[in-house]
Amino acid sequence: MTTSIEQLNIPDLHLADTPSPTVIFEPFSLPPSNQRTLGPPHPRNSVIPLALRPTEDRKESLTLDAITSTIKTLQTRDQTFTKYLARHGALLFRNLPIRSADDFSKFAHAFGYKPHEIIGIVVDRPLLAPNVAPANEAPKEVQIYNHNESPQVPHAPEYIFFYNQRAPAQGGETPISSSLELFRRVQAEIPEFIDQLAEKGVLSRVAYNIEKQYEGGSTLRQAFGKEIQDGDDEDTKRSKIEAQIARYGRGQHTTWEWTESGVVLTHRLPVIRTQPGTNLPTLFTGLAAYYKRLQANDERKNVTHQLYGDGTPIPEKYLAHLAKITDEIRVLHRWQEGDVLVFDNIIAQHGREPWEGEQADRVVLASLFDGPVVPGAYGFGDWAQVVPALDD
């Protein structure tokens, strides 16, 4: 299979504010298992991920300052990388002088996006550098199937950056697929499922316990307890947690119930959303991953439950077909140490494959950001439009 890559028109930039050499990014091909040509509705000859690297003649003298200056200049001029993310869904940057969490933080912030505050986090992500944390600390045997980031809660990031510090010898790939292409395929093959999702959305029930429920998971206090102080009584703790939940801005479409072990939140959410700028429908979802967890008897299956928005079960045949299509359109990114993957989370999905060896053999860091606007509505009713989280 030969991959066709459109040549990027990124001009030679002369940066007056840095003595570092000008950085020119060039596209390059990856093996077919790592990169594929996207189907409709993507423009012809679009690939996922679009792979970029500095030109060879600048490799020896390349500095992080030169890289970040170039990115800032291109983003300020015409949002170059944002446009390519909107077209391809994911970008791979390789051969960059990124050596640490702090380096990665500087690189990610150069794109000019607003750092994303995770409200209702379901995994444990300790801060390692400004807006940088581990991607996922689940055991190496656990498969994390393709999904958009934070589909089970109302407040999701628009952009995700992943940086590989250590790559295992076998396994540990990051799956990549297009949510736009997924919608188009599902609409063609099981249109009645699309009709149901557009009409009803989903009910996402997420349990937050006082103690973590699985290895790598979060606690209730990590999810909603940022204002809790040592010495607060139970009523005060509950009040502060509920105030954080209210920041979702979903009104009647987010409800909660206190239990002996914590709290269960129920969100009515749109699975189908639209891409800003094109209004193309995208399947923003983790339903295929949810199905895979159920099939594997994954310990995380008791944390999140997914139903149609009217409370009726989603037929397993639709979830299985969704996973089948995802398998057909995804690629598995084989990490090289130092790689950075950037996702437009509205239109691209990611995941994590198991790996052999030790848990510490794979180290991937993540940095999440908000865009200027949230995805548009596709379904019926006010529940179909997500909103930015309310300020604290």
Side-chain angles (χ1 to χ4, degrees):
M1 173 181 169
T2 302
T3 302
S4 174
I5 299 182
E6 178 191 17
Q7 294 298 310
L8 287 177
N9 182 23
I10 298 179
D12 192 348
L13 297 178
H14 300 279
L15 306 177
D17 58 346
T18 174
S20 303
T22 298
V23 178
I24 302 173
F25 291 99
E26 62 179 5
F28 66 99
S29 296
L30 297 169
S33 58
N34 279 46
Q35 185 183 55
R36 62 181 290 269
T37 301
L38 288 159
H42 290 272
R44 292 183 61 187
N45 297 328
S46 299
V47 296
I48 192 168
L50 176 64
L52 301 171
R53 62 189 175 192
T55 53
E56 188 67 24
D57 60 328
R58 303 293 186 180
K59 187 176 179 180
E60 296 302 321
S61 56
L62 197 62
T63 67
L64 183 59
D65 284 344
I67 291 289
T68 57
S69 294
T70 299
I71 290 171
K72 289 176 182 177
T73 299
L74 290 169
Q75 285 290 85
T76 299
R77 189 188 69 188
D78 66 354
Q79 292 293 300
T80 298
F81 294 107
T82 300
K83 290 177 180 178
Y84 279 101
L85 280 165
R87 173 173 178 152
H88 298 268
L91 307 179
L92 167 67
F93 290 89
R94 181 164 284 174
N95 297 340
L96 301 185
I98 298 177
R99 306 285 184 264
S100 66
D102 285 315
D103 288 349
F104 173 49
S105 177
K106 292 174 184 176
F107 173 81
H109 282 84
F111 286 72
Y113 305 133
K114 177 184 176 183
H116 175 76
E117 178 192 359
I118 305 176
I119 303 172
I121 190 170
V122 296
V123 295
D124 183 16
R125 284 180 170 160
L127 194 66
L128 304 176
N131 200 36
V132 170
N136 195 297
E137 297 292 83
K140 62 185 178 65
E141 299 82 8
V142 174
Q143 181 194 44
I144 302 173
Y145 196 67
N146 289 50
H147 63 283
N148 302 90
E149 183 64 30
S150 302
Q152 76 278 25
V153 295
H155 179 54
E158 273 72 60
Y159 299 103
I160 310 170
F161 292 70
F162 292 117
Y163 161 60
N164 182 265
Q165 275 192 324
R166 190 174 302 128
Q170 186 68 36
E173 298 91 348
T174 289
I176 308 172
S177 57
S178 164
S179 300
L180 294 173
E181 189 176 5
L182 181 61
F183 175 88
R184 183 67 66 91
R185 285 281 305 272
V186 174
Q187 186 181 48
E189 297 176 26
I190 42 175
E192 67 276 15
F193 186 38
I194 291 294
D195 291 343
Q196 291 292 302
L197 291 175
E199 179 182 348
K200 301 176 181 179
V202 296
L203 283 186
S204 177
R205 290 178 179 162
V206 187
Y208 298 92
N209 288 358
I210 296 171
E211 304 295 335
K212 69 177 182 180
Q213 302 174 71
Y214 58 91
E215 190 62 36
S218 67
T219 65
L220 175 59
R221 183 162 181 174
Q222 287 172 315
F224 297 109
K226 61 180 285 187
E227 300 297 334
I228 291 177
Q229 302 292 324
D230 292 339
D232 284 347
D233 59 30
E234 288 305 311
D235 287 343
T236 301
K237 290 179 181 177
R238 287 196 176 196
S239 177
K240 289 181 176 181
I241 288 170
E242 290 175 356
Q244 289 299 311
I245 295 172
R247 293 180 59 207
Y248 282 135
R250 295 288 289 171
Q252 63 179 340
H253 303 306
T254 289
T255 59
W256 60 91
E257 176 186 3
W258 287 96
T259 66
E260 290 184 1
S261 55
V263 64
V264 176
L265 269 67
T266 301
H267 308 284
R268 188 178 184 186
L269 297 171
V271 170
I272 308 171
R273 307 180 188 187
T274 60
Q275 181 187 29
T278 68
N279 289 325
L280 289 169
T282 176
L283 274 180
F284 189 95
T285 182
L287 283 174
Y290 172 68
Y291 170 75
K292 291 284 189 177
R293 287 199 299 272
L294 294 178
Q295 295 297 302
N297 199 27
D298 193 312
E299 65 179 348
R300 297 169 297 157
K301 71 177 184 178
N302 295 320
V303 177
T304 302
H305 295 276
Q306 305 274 290
L307 304 165
Y308 278 134
D310 60 2
T312 57
I314 300 174
E316 185 174 309
K317 65 178 182 179
Y318 293 144
L319 300 178
H321 200 125
L322 191 64
K324 172 181 176 293
I325 295 172
T326 302
D327 280 339
E328 293 171 357
I329 67 173
R330 74 180 192 154
V331 294
L332 298 179
H333 176 67
R334 180 72 179 156
W335 287 103
Q336 291 187 16
E337 291 186 9
D339 280 356
V340 176
L341 276 176
V342 188
F343 286 79
D344 183 327
N345 188 45
I346 297 172
I347 65 165
Q349 297 189 337
H350 66 278
R352 192 197 74 175
E353 291 293 288
W355 67 93
E356 298 179 5
E358 303 299 324
Q359 183 75 18
D361 289 343
R362 184 188 191 272
V363 178
V364 175
L365 308 184
S367 190
L368 312 182
F369 293 86
D370 293 332
V373 295
V374 297
Y378 182 89
F380 308 102
D382 57 352
W383 58 268
Q385 178 61 65
V386 293
V387 298
L390 303 175
D391 292 334
D392 201 2

